[in-house]
Amino acid sequence: MMNTKKSTHQNIMDTAQKLIQRKGFNAFSYADIAKELDIKTSSIHYYFPSKTDLGLELMKRYRKTIQEVLEQVDQSELGSREKLQEYLQAYQSIFSEDGRICLCVMLSSDIITLEDSIQQEVKLFLQLNLDWLAKTLEEGVKCNAFNCHADTHAEASLFLSTLIGSMLLARANPKSLSFHQIGQVLYDKYTLHD
Amino acid sequence: MMNTKKSTHQNIMDTAQKLIQRKGFNAFSYADIAKELDIKTSSIHYYFPSKTDLGLELMKRYRKTIQEVLEQVDQSELGSREKLQEYLQAYQSIFSEDGRICLCVMLSSDIITLEDSIQQEVKLFLQLNLDWLAKTLEEGVKCNAFNCHADTHAEASLFLSTLIGSMLLARANPKSLSFHQIGQVLYDKYTLHD
DNA sequence: GTCTATACACAGATAGAC
DNA sequence: GTCTATCTGTGTATAGAC
């Protein structure tokens, strides 16, 4: 019989990620995790000696996850538009009604207070997204799939900015469009011709 | 002779705003302000009994500032495109190379950890921006100034999202386009026709 | 108004028993 | 591995002298 119980290590990472996605890196504490998992803070230090260690491992896992998603999409037979749709879908599954937004967005806003190792990991994650977006837009522009400027590098920055900002805006001001709706409008802008 | 010395009250607000724009609401402390102004933390409590009081006053002042800018732009004889340009310019003057980004963006990312009074003030600020953008886009669409969808409410959310996200992206990943450049691409997208 | 002194809670982190 | 116990620093905040 398969052991379905998650390891303490994994429980800590999952709980920490959820807390950062809600409160931010500087606002969550080891005590928060300990309380939620009914363990002691010293047990967390056993797995993650410092808070930076924990944050760093979280970002690395997070990057691997998106990396795998992007590779799977690239290996598929999907068209450029469908690839972009899948990309948006990946972020929409991260965004949660309980206030969770993209881990990397939260760390980006705390970026100045983070140790260099985490800063580098955040940069890597963002660059990974930018490169994939530029490549995918480039590919789509060639076969006329996208209503988009030829400078795909610039377009990628614009696209990612919109995605990042829409999570913050939708959470902070429920009267604006929802994150899902903004994603839809964004997608339409790139696929519908006048 | 005019007394050019700023009041302690104002010094505290200016320093606190700068610190939040860099580090975020939860990462800055009264001790940070005290150190920078060479005063004691108890002096800060004299003007702002609690950290929430300070944050709230800052957001109120910040909102008034943008409100005045928007009113001045509205009272001018500028066309819709120039109005949008002025709007972007206002945010570009906030963004600073030393890591400062929009106060409201920083508070938006910490939104869940803030007391309700500040949350409301953040919402007000965002809604003020959305309403002005929707109105201005609406006005421009009528005279064919903007290359933009008829649903100006949705377009406003999209536009503001891009602005918010580009500050975070540009600061966290210097390899992406700069905030200024993203603003330019954004403006072009709305004003240039294919 | 600004200071000294201090209270109190909580943060991240470590040593060592079990 | 997980715990108890503890250390040390820092956080917000207050009382009261000057």
Side-chain angles (χ1 to χ4, degrees), chain B residues 48-70:
Chain B
F48 306 97
S50 79
K51 207 179 174 185
T52 295
D53 294 327
L54 175 52
L56 193 58
E57 271 209 50
L58 280 174
M59 266 310 296
K60 280 183 179 166
R61 182 180 72 164
Y62 198 69
R63 179 162 59 89
K64 267 180 203 150
T65 306
I66 182 81
Q67 213 151 15
E68 279 165 18
V69 169
L70 297 183

mmCIF file with all atom_site columns, all heavy atoms in Angstrom, chain B residues 48-70:
data_model
loop_
_atom_site.group_PDB
_atom_site.id
_atom_site.type_symbol
_atom_site.label_atom_id
_atom_site.label_alt_id
_atom_site.label_comp_id
_atom_site.label_asym_id
_atom_site.label_entity_id
_atom_site.label_seq_id
_atom_site.pdbx_PDB_ins_code
_atom_site.Cartn_x
_atom_site.Cartn_y
_atom_site.Cartn_z
_atom_site.occupancy
_atom_site.B_iso_or_equiv
_atom_site.pdbx_formal_charge
_atom_site.auth_seq_id
_atom_site.auth_comp_id
_atom_site.auth_asym_id
_atom_site.auth_atom_id
_atom_site.pdbx_PDB_model_num
ATOM 1   N N   . PHE B 1 48 ? 2.366   60.182 14.991  1.00 0.00 ? 48 PHE B N   1
ATOM 2   C CA  . PHE B 1 48 ? 1.585   59.052 14.462  1.00 0.00 ? 48 PHE B CA  1
ATOM 3   C C   . PHE B 1 48 ? 1.573   57.930 15.500  1.00 0.00 ? 48 PHE B C   1
ATOM 4   O O   . PHE B 1 48 ? 2.467   57.086 15.515  1.00 0.00 ? 48 PHE B O   1
ATOM 5   C CB  . PHE B 1 48 ? 2.206   58.552 13.157  1.00 0.00 ? 48 PHE B CB  1
ATOM 6   C CG  . PHE B 1 48 ? 2.390   59.625 12.123  1.00 0.00 ? 48 PHE B CG  1
ATOM 7   C CD1 . PHE B 1 48 ? 3.611   60.272 11.973  1.00 0.00 ? 48 PHE B CD1 1
ATOM 8   C CD2 . PHE B 1 48 ? 1.317   60.021 11.319  1.00 0.00 ? 48 PHE B CD2 1
ATOM 9   C CE1 . PHE B 1 48 ? 3.774   61.275 11.030  1.00 0.00 ? 48 PHE B CE1 1
ATOM 10  C CE2 . PHE B 1 48 ? 1.474   61.027 10.375  1.00 0.00 ? 48 PHE B CE2 1
ATOM 11  C CZ  . PHE B 1 48 ? 2.709   61.662 10.222  1.00 0.00 ? 48 PHE B CZ  1
ATOM 12  N N   . PRO B 1 49 ? 0.559   57.946 16.364  1.00 0.00 ? 49 PRO B N   1
ATOM 13  C CA  . PRO B 1 49 ? 0.496   56.979 17.468  1.00 0.00 ? 49 PRO B CA  1
ATOM 14  C C   . PRO B 1 49 ? 0.740   55.537 17.016  1.00 0.00 ? 49 PRO B C   1
ATOM 15  O O   . PRO B 1 49 ? 1.470   54.812 17.666  1.00 0.00 ? 49 PRO B O   1
ATOM 16  C CB  . PRO B 1 49 ? -0.917  57.172 18.016  1.00 0.00 ? 49 PRO B CB  1
ATOM 17  C CG  . PRO B 1 49 ? -1.251  58.577 17.690  1.00 0.00 ? 49 PRO B CG  1
ATOM 18  C CD  . PRO B 1 49 ? -0.575  58.877 16.375  1.00 0.00 ? 49 PRO B CD  1
ATOM 19  N N   . SER B 1 50 ? 0.144   55.147 15.918  1.00 0.00 ? 50 SER B N   1
ATOM 20  C CA  . SER B 1 50 ? 0.354   53.781 15.454  1.00 0.00 ? 50 SER B CA  1
ATOM 21  C C   . SER B 1 50 ? 0.843   53.776 14.013  1.00 0.00 ? 50 SER B C   1
ATOM 22  O O   . SER B 1 50 ? 0.689   54.743 13.275  1.00 0.00 ? 50 SER B O   1
ATOM 23  C CB  . SER B 1 50 ? -0.930  52.965 15.565  1.00 0.00 ? 50 SER B CB  1
ATOM 24  O OG  . SER B 1 50 ? -1.797  53.268 14.494  1.00 0.00 ? 50 SER B OG  1
ATOM 25  N N   . LYS B 1 51 ? 1.406   52.674 13.613  1.00 0.00 ? 51 LYS B N   1
ATOM 26  C CA  . LYS B 1 51 ? 1.911   52.525 12.257  1.00 0.00 ? 51 LYS B CA  1
ATOM 27  C C   . LYS B 1 51 ? 0.773   52.639 11.239  1.00 0.00 ? 51 LYS B C   1
ATOM 28  O O   . LYS B 1 51 ? 0.961   53.161 10.139  1.00 0.00 ? 51 LYS B O   1
ATOM 29  C CB  . LYS B 1 51 ? 2.600   51.159 12.129  1.00 0.00 ? 51 LYS B CB  1
ATOM 30  C CG  . LYS B 1 51 ? 3.694   51.098 11.060  1.00 0.00 ? 51 LYS B CG  1
ATOM 31  C CD  . LYS B 1 51 ? 4.351   49.719 11.024  1.00 0.00 ? 51 LYS B CD  1
ATOM 32  C CE  . LYS B 1 51 ? 5.341   49.621 9.871   1.00 0.00 ? 51 LYS B CE  1
ATOM 33  N NZ  . LYS B 1 51 ? 5.912   48.260 9.744   1.00 0.00 ? 51 LYS B NZ  1
ATOM 34  N N   . THR B 1 52 ? -0.389  52.176 11.645  1.00 0.00 ? 52 THR B N   1
ATOM 35  C CA  . THR B 1 52 ? -1.556  52.288 10.768  1.00 0.00 ? 52 THR B CA  1
ATOM 36  C C   . THR B 1 52 ? -1.907  53.753 10.527  1.00 0.00 ? 52 THR B C   1
ATOM 37  O O   . THR B 1 52 ? -2.234  54.146 9.402   1.00 0.00 ? 52 THR B O   1
ATOM 38  C CB  . THR B 1 52 ? -2.758  51.546 11.382  1.00 0.00 ? 52 THR B CB  1
ATOM 39  O OG1 . THR B 1 52 ? -2.462  50.147 11.435  1.00 0.00 ? 52 THR B OG1 1
ATOM 40  C CG2 . THR B 1 52 ? -4.015  51.757 10.544  1.00 0.00 ? 52 THR B CG2 1
ATOM 41  N N   . ASP B 1 53 ? -1.853  54.554 11.594  1.00 0.00 ? 53 ASP B N   1
ATOM 42  C CA  . ASP B 1 53 ? -2.116  55.991 11.442  1.00 0.00 ? 53 ASP B CA  1
ATOM 43  C C   . ASP B 1 53 ? -1.192  56.597 10.387  1.00 0.00 ? 53 ASP B C   1
ATOM 44  O O   . ASP B 1 53 ? -1.630  57.366 9.524   1.00 0.00 ? 53 ASP B O   1
ATOM 45  C CB  . ASP B 1 53 ? -1.881  56.719 12.779  1.00 0.00 ? 53 ASP B CB  1
ATOM 46  C CG  . ASP B 1 53 ? -2.870  56.295 13.839  1.00 0.00 ? 53 ASP B CG  1
ATOM 47  O OD1 . ASP B 1 53 ? -4.022  56.000 13.480  1.00 0.00 ? 53 ASP B OD1 1
ATOM 48  O OD2 . ASP B 1 53 ? -2.485  56.252 15.025  1.00 0.00 ? 53 ASP B OD2 1
ATOM 49  N N   . LEU B 1 54 ? 0.062   56.232 10.464  1.00 0.00 ? 54 LEU B N   1
ATOM 50  C CA  . LEU B 1 54 ? 1.053   56.756 9.526   1.00 0.00 ? 54 LEU B CA  1
ATOM 51  C C   . LEU B 1 54 ? 0.753   56.298 8.102   1.00 0.00 ? 54 LEU B C   1
ATOM 52  O O   . LEU B 1 54 ? 0.713   57.107 7.166   1.00 0.00 ? 54 LEU B O   1
ATOM 53  C CB  . LEU B 1 54 ? 2.456   56.295 9.950   1.00 0.00 ? 54 LEU B CB  1
ATOM 54  C CG  . LEU B 1 54 ? 3.636   56.633 9.053   1.00 0.00 ? 54 LEU B CG  1
ATOM 55  C CD1 . LEU B 1 54 ? 3.680   58.111 8.712   1.00 0.00 ? 54 LEU B CD1 1
ATOM 56  C CD2 . LEU B 1 54 ? 4.950   56.208 9.712   1.00 0.00 ? 54 LEU B CD2 1
ATOM 57  N N   . GLY B 1 55 ? 0.510   55.024 7.947   1.00 0.00 ? 55 GLY B N   1
ATOM 58  C CA  . GLY B 1 55 ? 0.201   54.486 6.611   1.00 0.00 ? 55 GLY B CA  1
ATOM 59  C C   . GLY B 1 55 ? -1.037  55.118 6.020   1.00 0.00 ? 55 GLY B C   1
ATOM 60  O O   . GLY B 1 55 ? -1.087  55.446 4.829   1.00 0.00 ? 55 GLY B O   1
ATOM 61  N N   . LEU B 1 56 ? -2.038  55.328 6.865   1.00 0.00 ? 56 LEU B N   1
ATOM 62  C CA  . LEU B 1 56 ? -3.297  55.893 6.402   1.00 0.00 ? 56 LEU B CA  1
ATOM 63  C C   . LEU B 1 56 ? -3.115  57.335 5.929   1.00 0.00 ? 56 LEU B C   1
ATOM 64  O O   . LEU B 1 56 ? -3.587  57.717 4.858   1.00 0.00 ? 56 LEU B O   1
ATOM 65  C CB  . LEU B 1 56 ? -4.322  55.826 7.540   1.00 0.00 ? 56 LEU B CB  1
ATOM 66  C CG  . LEU B 1 56 ? -5.776  56.079 7.180   1.00 0.00 ? 56 LEU B CG  1
ATOM 67  C CD1 . LEU B 1 56 ? -6.254  55.091 6.129   1.00 0.00 ? 56 LEU B CD1 1
ATOM 68  C CD2 . LEU B 1 56 ? -6.645  55.975 8.434   1.00 0.00 ? 56 LEU B CD2 1
ATOM 69  N N   . GLU B 1 57 ? -2.406  58.106 6.719   1.00 0.00 ? 57 GLU B N   1
ATOM 70  C CA  . GLU B 1 57 ? -2.162  59.512 6.332   1.00 0.00 ? 57 GLU B CA  1
ATOM 71  C C   . GLU B 1 57 ? -1.351  59.591 5.039   1.00 0.00 ? 57 GLU B C   1
ATOM 72  O O   . GLU B 1 57 ? -1.574  60.467 4.200   1.00 0.00 ? 57 GLU B O   1
ATOM 73  C CB  . GLU B 1 57 ? -1.451  60.260 7.468   1.00 0.00 ? 57 GLU B CB  1
ATOM 74  C CG  . GLU B 1 57 ? -2.412  60.881 8.456   1.00 0.00 ? 57 GLU B CG  1
ATOM 75  C CD  . GLU B 1 57 ? -1.827  62.142 9.109   1.00 0.00 ? 57 GLU B CD  1
ATOM 76  O OE1 . GLU B 1 57 ? -1.330  63.025 8.373   1.00 0.00 ? 57 GLU B OE1 1
ATOM 77  O OE2 . GLU B 1 57 ? -1.885  62.220 10.360  1.00 0.00 ? 57 GLU B OE2 1
ATOM 78  N N   . LEU B 1 58 ? -0.410  58.675 4.892   1.00 0.00 ? 58 LEU B N   1
ATOM 79  C CA  . LEU B 1 58 ? 0.406   58.661 3.677   1.00 0.00 ? 58 LEU B CA  1
ATOM 80  C C   . LEU B 1 58 ? -0.441  58.383 2.441   1.00 0.00 ? 58 LEU B C   1
ATOM 81  O O   . LEU B 1 58 ? -0.305  59.047 1.419   1.00 0.00 ? 58 LEU B O   1
ATOM 82  C CB  . LEU B 1 58 ? 1.511   57.595 3.795   1.00 0.00 ? 58 LEU B CB  1
ATOM 83  C CG  . LEU B 1 58 ? 2.732   57.979 4.612   1.00 0.00 ? 58 LEU B CG  1
ATOM 84  C CD1 . LEU B 1 58 ? 3.662   56.793 4.774   1.00 0.00 ? 58 LEU B CD1 1
ATOM 85  C CD2 . LEU B 1 58 ? 3.467   59.150 3.949   1.00 0.00 ? 58 LEU B CD2 1
ATOM 86  N N   . MET B 1 59 ? -1.314  57.395 2.550   1.00 0.00 ? 59 MET B N   1
ATOM 87  C CA  . MET B 1 59 ? -2.149  57.060 1.399   1.00 0.00 ? 59 MET B CA  1
ATOM 88  C C   . MET B 1 59 ? -3.125  58.187 1.076   1.00 0.00 ? 59 MET B C   1
ATOM 89  O O   . MET B 1 59 ? -3.409  58.458 -0.085  1.00 0.00 ? 59 MET B O   1
ATOM 90  C CB  . MET B 1 59 ? -2.920  55.757 1.659   1.00 0.00 ? 59 MET B CB  1
ATOM 91  C CG  . MET B 1 59 ? -2.248  54.489 1.152   1.00 0.00 ? 59 MET B CG  1
ATOM 92  S SD  . MET B 1 59 ? -1.688  54.570 -0.575  1.00 0.00 ? 59 MET B SD  1
ATOM 93  C CE  . MET B 1 59 ? -3.227  54.765 -1.462  1.00 0.00 ? 59 MET B CE  1
ATOM 94  N N   . LYS B 1 60 ? -3.610  58.857 2.109   1.00 0.00 ? 60 LYS B N   1
ATOM 95  C CA  . LYS B 1 60 ? -4.545  59.970 1.875   1.00 0.00 ? 60 LYS B CA  1
ATOM 96  C C   . LYS B 1 60 ? -3.838  61.108 1.145   1.00 0.00 ? 60 LYS B C   1
ATOM 97  O O   . LYS B 1 60 ? -4.375  61.679 0.193   1.00 0.00 ? 60 LYS B O   1
ATOM 98  C CB  . LYS B 1 60 ? -5.121  60.469 3.208   1.00 0.00 ? 60 LYS B CB  1
ATOM 99  C CG  . LYS B 1 60 ? -6.257  59.603 3.728   1.00 0.00 ? 60 LYS B CG  1
ATOM 100 C CD  . LYS B 1 60 ? -6.849  60.184 5.007   1.00 0.00 ? 60 LYS B CD  1
ATOM 101 C CE  . LYS B 1 60 ? -8.002  59.305 5.499   1.00 0.00 ? 60 LYS B CE  1
ATOM 102 N NZ  . LYS B 1 60 ? -8.394  59.632 6.887   1.00 0.00 ? 60 LYS B NZ  1
ATOM 103 N N   . ARG B 1 61 ? -2.635  61.426 1.601   1.00 0.00 ? 61 ARG B N   1
ATOM 104 C CA  . ARG B 1 61 ? -1.864  62.484 0.936   1.00 0.00 ? 61 ARG B CA  1
ATOM 105 C C   . ARG B 1 61 ? -1.548  62.075 -0.501  1.00 0.00 ? 61 ARG B C   1
ATOM 106 O O   . ARG B 1 61 ? -1.653  62.879 -1.428  1.00 0.00 ? 61 ARG B O   1
ATOM 107 C CB  . ARG B 1 61 ? -0.557  62.742 1.702   1.00 0.00 ? 61 ARG B CB  1
ATOM 108 C CG  . ARG B 1 61 ? 0.269   63.862 1.107   1.00 0.00 ? 61 ARG B CG  1
ATOM 109 C CD  . ARG B 1 61 ? 1.553   64.118 1.878   1.00 0.00 ? 61 ARG B CD  1
ATOM 110 N NE  . ARG B 1 61 ? 2.546   63.074 1.691   1.00 0.00 ? 61 ARG B NE  1
ATOM 111 C CZ  . ARG B 1 61 ? 3.841   63.204 2.009   1.00 0.00 ? 61 ARG B CZ  1
ATOM 112 N NH1 . ARG B 1 61 ? 4.265   64.330 2.565   1.00 0.00 ? 61 ARG B NH1 1
ATOM 113 N NH2 . ARG B 1 61 ? 4.677   62.229 1.816   1.00 0.00 ? 61 ARG B NH2 1
ATOM 114 N N   . TYR B 1 62 ? -1.191  60.824 -0.658  1.00 0.00 ? 62 TYR B N   1
ATOM 115 C CA  . TYR B 1 62 ? -0.821  60.305 -1.983  1.00 0.00 ? 62 TYR B CA  1
ATOM 116 C C   . TYR B 1 62 ? -2.007  60.393 -2.940  1.00 0.00 ? 62 TYR B C   1
ATOM 117 O O   . TYR B 1 62 ? -1.859  60.779 -4.094  1.00 0.00 ? 62 TYR B O   1
ATOM 118 C CB  . TYR B 1 62 ? -0.377  58.851 -1.820  1.00 0.00 ? 62 TYR B CB  1
ATOM 119 C CG  . TYR B 1 62 ? 0.438   58.282 -2.958  1.00 0.00 ? 62 TYR B CG  1
ATOM 120 C CD1 . TYR B 1 62 ? 1.725   58.730 -3.195  1.00 0.00 ? 62 TYR B CD1 1
ATOM 121 C CD2 . TYR B 1 62 ? -0.073  57.271 -3.761  1.00 0.00 ? 62 TYR B CD2 1
ATOM 122 C CE1 . TYR B 1 62 ? 2.489   58.187 -4.216  1.00 0.00 ? 62 TYR B CE1 1
ATOM 123 C CE2 . TYR B 1 62 ? 0.687   56.721 -4.776  1.00 0.00 ? 62 TYR B CE2 1
ATOM 124 C CZ  . TYR B 1 62 ? 1.961   57.182 -5.006  1.00 0.00 ? 62 TYR B CZ  1
ATOM 125 O OH  . TYR B 1 62 ? 2.712   56.640 -6.011  1.00 0.00 ? 62 TYR B OH  1
ATOM 126 N N   . ARG B 1 63 ? -3.165  60.044 -2.446  1.00 0.00 ? 63 ARG B N   1
ATOM 127 C CA  . ARG B 1 63 ? -4.362  60.099 -3.283  1.00 0.00 ? 63 ARG B CA  1
ATOM 128 C C   . ARG B 1 63 ? -4.699  61.535 -3.672  1.00 0.00 ? 63 ARG B C   1
ATOM 129 O O   . ARG B 1 63 ? -5.044  61.825 -4.806  1.00 0.00 ? 63 ARG B O   1
ATOM 130 C CB  . ARG B 1 63 ? -5.550  59.461 -2.554  1.00 0.00 ? 63 ARG B CB  1
ATOM 131 C CG  . ARG B 1 63 ? -6.841  59.509 -3.352  1.00 0.00 ? 63 ARG B CG  1
ATOM 132 C CD  . ARG B 1 63 ? -7.865  58.525 -2.824  1.00 0.00 ? 63 ARG B CD  1
ATOM 133 N NE  . ARG B 1 63 ? -8.209  58.772 -1.441  1.00 0.00 ? 63 ARG B NE  1
ATOM 134 C CZ  . ARG B 1 63 ? -9.184  59.587 -1.040  1.00 0.00 ? 63 ARG B CZ  1
ATOM 135 N NH1 . ARG B 1 63 ? -9.903  60.252 -1.930  1.00 0.00 ? 63 ARG B NH1 1
ATOM 136 N NH2 . ARG B 1 63 ? -9.442  59.747 0.237   1.00 0.00 ? 63 ARG B NH2 1
ATOM 137 N N   . LYS B 1 64 ? -4.564  62.437 -2.717  1.00 0.00 ? 64 LYS B N   1
ATOM 138 C CA  . LYS B 1 64 ? -4.837  63.852 -3.003  1.00 0.00 ? 64 LYS B CA  1
ATOM 139 C C   . LYS B 1 64 ? -3.917  64.368 -4.095  1.00 0.00 ? 64 LYS B C   1
ATOM 140 O O   . LYS B 1 64 ? -4.330  65.137 -4.971  1.00 0.00 ? 64 LYS B O   1
ATOM 141 C CB  . LYS B 1 64 ? -4.659  64.693 -1.729  1.00 0.00 ? 64 LYS B CB  1
ATOM 142 C CG  . LYS B 1 64 ? -5.956  64.879 -0.967  1.00 0.00 ? 64 LYS B CG  1
ATOM 143 C CD  . LYS B 1 64 ? -5.741  65.729 0.291   1.00 0.00 ? 64 LYS B CD  1
ATOM 144 C CE  . LYS B 1 64 ? -6.842  65.439 1.321   1.00 0.00 ? 64 LYS B CE  1
ATOM 145 N NZ  . LYS B 1 64 ? -6.395  65.602 2.700   1.00 0.00 ? 64 LYS B NZ  1
ATOM 146 N N   . THR B 1 65 ? -2.667  63.942 -4.037  1.00 0.00 ? 65 THR B N   1
ATOM 147 C CA  . THR B 1 65 ? -1.685  64.398 -5.026  1.00 0.00 ? 65 THR B CA  1
ATOM 148 C C   . THR B 1 65 ? -2.083  63.974 -6.439  1.00 0.00 ? 65 THR B C   1
ATOM 149 O O   . THR B 1 65 ? -2.114  64.787 -7.363  1.00 0.00 ? 65 THR B O   1
ATOM 150 C CB  . THR B 1 65 ? -0.289  63.826 -4.708  1.00 0.00 ? 65 THR B CB  1
ATOM 151 O OG1 . THR B 1 65 ? 0.055   64.154 -3.375  1.00 0.00 ? 65 THR B OG1 1
ATOM 152 C CG2 . THR B 1 65 ? 0.753   64.386 -5.665  1.00 0.00 ? 65 THR B CG2 1
ATOM 153 N N   . ILE B 1 66 ? -2.401  62.692 -6.588  1.00 0.00 ? 66 ILE B N   1
ATOM 154 C CA  . ILE B 1 66 ? -2.767  62.215 -7.928  1.00 0.00 ? 66 ILE B CA  1
ATOM 155 C C   . ILE B 1 66 ? -4.092  62.833 -8.361  1.00 0.00 ? 66 ILE B C   1
ATOM 156 O O   . ILE B 1 66 ? -4.283  63.184 -9.529  1.00 0.00 ? 66 ILE B O   1
ATOM 157 C CB  . ILE B 1 66 ? -2.844  60.670 -7.982  1.00 0.00 ? 66 ILE B CB  1
ATOM 158 C CG1 . ILE B 1 66 ? -3.174  60.172 -9.407  1.00 0.00 ? 66 ILE B CG1 1
ATOM 159 C CG2 . ILE B 1 66 ? -3.890  60.124 -7.046  1.00 0.00 ? 66 ILE B CG2 1
ATOM 160 C CD1 . ILE B 1 66 ? -2.020  60.119 -10.319 1.00 0.00 ? 66 ILE B CD1 1
ATOM 161 N N   . GLN B 1 67 ? -4.985  63.039 -7.402  1.00 0.00 ? 67 GLN B N   1
ATOM 162 C CA  . GLN B 1 67 ? -6.274  63.654 -7.691  1.00 0.00 ? 67 GLN B CA  1
ATOM 163 C C   . GLN B 1 67 ? -6.082  65.056 -8.281  1.00 0.00 ? 67 GLN B C   1
ATOM 164 O O   . GLN B 1 67 ? -6.733  65.424 -9.258  1.00 0.00 ? 67 GLN B O   1
ATOM 165 C CB  . GLN B 1 67 ? -7.089  63.737 -6.396  1.00 0.00 ? 67 GLN B CB  1
ATOM 166 C CG  . GLN B 1 67 ? -8.580  63.590 -6.585  1.00 0.00 ? 67 GLN B CG  1
ATOM 167 C CD  . GLN B 1 67 ? -9.231  62.974 -5.353  1.00 0.00 ? 67 GLN B CD  1
ATOM 168 O OE1 . GLN B 1 67 ? -8.635  62.910 -4.275  1.00 0.00 ? 67 GLN B OE1 1
ATOM 169 N NE2 . GLN B 1 67 ? -10.476 62.528 -5.509  1.00 0.00 ? 67 GLN B NE2 1
ATOM 170 N N   . GLU B 1 68 ? -5.180  65.806 -7.691  1.00 0.00 ? 68 GLU B N   1
ATOM 171 C CA  . GLU B 1 68 ? -4.916  67.154 -8.181  1.00 0.00 ? 68 GLU B CA  1
ATOM 172 C C   . GLU B 1 68 ? -4.295  67.140 -9.580  1.00 0.00 ? 68 GLU B C   1
ATOM 173 O O   . GLU B 1 68 ? -4.631  67.963 -10.436 1.00 0.00 ? 68 GLU B O   1
ATOM 174 C CB  . GLU B 1 68 ? -3.990  67.891 -7.202  1.00 0.00 ? 68 GLU B CB  1
ATOM 175 C CG  . GLU B 1 68 ? -4.730  68.467 -6.008  1.00 0.00 ? 68 GLU B CG  1
ATOM 176 C CD  . GLU B 1 68 ? -3.796  68.861 -4.878  1.00 0.00 ? 68 GLU B CD  1
ATOM 177 O OE1 . GLU B 1 68 ? -2.584  69.016 -5.138  1.00 0.00 ? 68 GLU B OE1 1
ATOM 178 O OE2 . GLU B 1 68 ? -4.275  69.010 -3.741  1.00 0.00 ? 68 GLU B OE2 1
ATOM 179 N N   . VAL B 1 69 ? -3.385  66.179 -9.800  1.00 0.00 ? 69 VAL B N   1
ATOM 180 C CA  . VAL B 1 69 ? -2.776  66.057 -11.123 1.00 0.00 ? 69 VAL B CA  1
ATOM 181 C C   . VAL B 1 69 ? -3.856  65.776 -12.171 1.00 0.00 ? 69 VAL B C   1
ATOM 182 O O   . VAL B 1 69 ? -3.901  66.419 -13.228 1.00 0.00 ? 69 VAL B O   1
ATOM 183 C CB  . VAL B 1 69 ? -1.724  64.924 -11.139 1.00 0.00 ? 69 VAL B CB  1
ATOM 184 C CG1 . VAL B 1 69 ? -1.286  64.628 -12.571 1.00 0.00 ? 69 VAL B CG1 1
ATOM 185 C CG2 . VAL B 1 69 ? -0.532  65.291 -10.287 1.00 0.00 ? 69 VAL B CG2 1
ATOM 186 N N   . LEU B 1 70 ? -4.725  64.835 -11.861 1.00 0.00 ? 70 LEU B N   1
ATOM 187 C CA  . LEU B 1 70 ? -5.768  64.460 -12.817 1.00 0.00 ? 70 LEU B CA  1
ATOM 188 C C   . LEU B 1 70 ? -6.725  65.623 -13.081 1.00 0.00 ? 70 LEU B C   1
ATOM 189 O O   . LEU B 1 70 ? -7.143  65.841 -14.221 1.00 0.00 ? 70 LEU B O   1
ATOM 190 C CB  . LEU B 1 70 ? -6.542  63.241 -12.300 1.00 0.00 ? 70 LEU B CB  1
ATOM 191 C CG  . LEU B 1 70 ? -5.711  61.969 -12.129 1.00 0.00 ? 70 LEU B CG  1
ATOM 192 C CD1 . LEU B 1 70 ? -6.597  60.799 -11.679 1.00 0.00 ? 70 LEU B CD1 1
ATOM 193 C CD2 . LEU B 1 70 ? -4.980  61.607 -13.417 1.00 0.00 ? 70 LEU B CD2 1
#
